[in-house]
Amino acid sequence: MVVAAPVYAGVPAVKVLIAKSLKNVVVEGMDLQKTIHTHKSSQQYVGKKVISFNCNPKGARRALPRSPLLVASLSSPTGLVSWGKNKYQGELQLLTNPGQESCDLVNNIPLEKYLTTLLAKEMNGTWPVEALKAQAVAARTYALDRVNKGEGFDNPDKLYHLESSEKDQVSGTFMDVTGKTLQAQRETAGEVLVSPSGKLAPAFFHSKCGGKTFRPDQVWGGVEEGYRSVNCTYCRKTGMKDWEYRLKGAKLGTMIDTVLRKYYADQSSPGEIRLMPDSVENSELRFYVGDRLHIIKKSYLRNQAGRELLPSNNFVMSGARGDFHVKGQGYGHGVGLCQLGALELAKRGYDYRQILSFYFPRHRMKKAY
Ligand SMILES: [Zn+2]
């Protein structure tokens, strides 16, 4: 008889921040295993158990360390632990916040299980399975890259790899898993994207490119090997409609000044803003303030303006004399996989490998484990 290997053997675990600045944490589960790391003690409860943590005890501020600390871990042999209405697979970890009287909650979960909850949130559990599979490979690649970089790679105070938010990728709970998200994860298990030289690629994705995707260097500045900007017409008819509005010169002036200070160690001098001709091909804006020429990334202006004002980096600005006009398409940063484009390609019969090679034409697929 052939015995199947355990599905998750050898799969790395990913730590995902699911909630911040909590005053109280109440977790629930069957036969809960509780480890208090600060006391080096462990306890197993029998039957259903509710455990309450007070993250704001009297006088705690003095006692709290200056850096975050793993306080407690909770898991259950059933595989599920509840926090409020939500059920999580893997382990829940309670962290203290430095200098604050509150806790953060982290889900430590095998990467493949994490993907089954994420697919329904990042896309939609009812979408064609080939689109979900393309998303699964991109999201696995993104998460594994973060796991390999380590918890504190961009901030030594971080005791997790990812946030469940638009900043990283939006994950769900056990209740978000559907038959299709499970199928998409299983049929791509372990598959990741690698760059032309074979390195794990930070695979980015976004909601709707609106006509073309960007390379990471056009949006964030850091060059990632192998990326191309591709023309995508497949997302045109779905999702957010094209947007346009007028922008007062004074408001644009304030935003430009903040961007120059924040990203370019510069500032604008007094004077009228004169925009140079802009087009969708430009990922940067060129303009004079007074007699000085400035060049800024459109994505930096979007970071400053917010997603309400600039839903994507795919916009064109025009106008003069204190009255400007913004016209744009799409939603999200525009790098890598366009989710609504992937949906349309899957509807037209593309499989997930073809979808991925459309958005990542120079990357290859590989089994990471
Ligand atoms: Zn698109």
Side-chain angles (χ1 to χ4, degrees):
M1 195 178 86
V2 178
V3 180
V7 178
Y8 295 108
V11 174
V14 56
K15 293 182 185 174
V16 186
L17 179 71
I18 51 173
K20 278 197 266 206
S21 307
L22 304 168
K23 297 295 175 199
N24 287 291
V25 175
V26 180
V27 294
E28 194 179 325
M30 290 298 292
D31 302 335
L32 277 182
Q33 169 85 30
K34 177 180 85 173
T35 302
I36 303 292
H37 298 277
T38 42
H39 296 162
K40 294 192 170 58
S41 67
S42 230
Q43 196 172 353
Q44 169 109 48
Y45 299 93
V46 177
K48 191 173 166 178
K49 177 75 183 169
V50 178
I51 304 176
S52 179
F53 293 90
N54 179 2
C55 300
N56 188 17
K58 268 201 157 55
R61 189 185 286 275
R62 266 177 286 120
L64 280 174
R66 298 305 301 170
S67 52
L69 194 69
L70 173 60
V71 177
S73 299
L74 298 129
S75 61
S76 160
T78 65
L80 290 177
V81 185
S82 301
W83 170 59
K85 286 184 196 139
N86 298 326
K87 284 184 174 25
Y88 292 91
Q89 303 173 89
E91 185 181 80
L92 286 183
Q93 298 186 333
L94 204 70
L95 312 178
T96 54
N97 263 317
Q100 292 173 30
E101 293 143 333
S102 68
C103 311
D104 291 346
L105 203 56
V106 165
N107 187 200
N108 187 20
I109 179 171
L111 183 42
E112 294 296 321
K113 292 193 181 191
Y114 163 70
L115 290 173
T116 61
T117 72
L118 170 139
L119 292 175
K121 289 284 180 184
E122 273 294 344
M123 282 190 161
N124 180 319
T126 64
W127 279 19
V129 75
E130 294 302 319
L132 294 174
K133 284 161 75 174
Q135 175 70 62
V137 174
R140 181 182 295 108
T141 309
Y142 185 92
L144 189 59
D145 179 54
R146 286 304 184 84
V147 169
N148 289 350
K149 281 176 176 158
E151 293 167 15
F153 87 99
D154 58 351
N155 173 357
D157 275 351
K158 244 173 59 178
L159 298 182
Y160 50 86
H161 304 111
L162 293 166
E163 288 183 27
S164 173
S165 72
E166 272 186 62
K167 185 166 166 259
D168 285 321
Q169 33 196 14
V170 184
S171 61
T173 73
F174 177 64
M175 307 311 280
D176 296 307
V177 179
T178 68
K180 272 190 175 174
T181 70
L182 211 52
Q183 184 191 350
Q185 172 267 318
R186 280 190 181 142
E187 290 182 359
T188 63
E191 289 180 345
V192 292
L193 289 170
V194 294
S195 70
S197 71
K199 275 191 284 190
L200 190 73
F204 300 102
F205 46 87
H206 59 275
S207 176
K208 171 175 176 165
C209 76
K212 66 169 175 121
T213 67
F214 291 108
R215 297 186 313 270
D217 62 289
Q218 292 175 299
V219 173
W220 299 298
V223 175
E224 296 292 350
E225 190 204 356
Y227 268 89
R228 284 259 174 93
S229 165
V230 301
N231 291 321
C232 160
T233 51
Y234 305 105
C235 59
R236 294 294 295 154
K237 289 193 182 131
T238 40
M240 187 170 197
K241 296 227 176 349
D242 293 358
W243 33 277
E244 61 177 305
Y245 56 87
R246 305 189 93 72
L247 190 59
K248 284 260 176 278
K251 187 164 185 179
L252 180 63
T254 309
M255 289 194 298
I256 281 173
D257 190 57
T258 314
V259 168
L260 287 171
R261 286 170 193 272
K262 199 166 164 185
Y263 298 96
Y264 298 93
D266 199 353
Q267 63 190 79
S268 56
S269 36
E272 197 178 68
I273 301 168
R274 280 182 298 132
L275 279 177
M276 306 295 283
D278 184 24
S279 81
V280 284
E281 303 306 320
N282 294 346
S283 57
E284 292 168 327
L285 277 179
R286 290 167 171 75
F287 55 89
Y288 282 91
V289 183
D291 57 1
R292 268 193 70 199
L293 174 68
H294 295 279
I295 301 174
I296 63 170
K297 277 188 189 296
K298 288 182 179 177
S299 60
Y300 294 166
L301 195 66
R302 177 177 178 243
N303 286 350
Q304 204 48 48
R307 286 160 198 188
E308 297 273 299
L309 210 55
L310 293 176
S312 81
N313 296 315
N314 194 354
F315 61 86
V316 174
M317 204 176 272
S318 57
R321 298 195 182 280
D323 195 14
F324 298 94
H325 189 233
V326 188
K327 199 164 184 267
Q329 299 91 34
Y331 188 82
H333 54 62
V335 181
L337 178 86
C338 166
Q339 292 169 326
L340 287 171
L343 168 65
E344 179 60 24
L345 286 170
K347 283 183 182 166
R348 294 186 189 189
Y350 280 52
D351 70 21
Y352 76 108
R353 288 172 185 274
Q354 292 169 317
I355 295 171
L356 287 168
S357 69
F358 179 75
Y359 292 106
F360 301 92
R362 298 190 62 211
H363 292 81
R364 288 181 289 119
M365 208 133 70
K366 193 185 135 179
K367 275 254 183 196
Y369 43 80

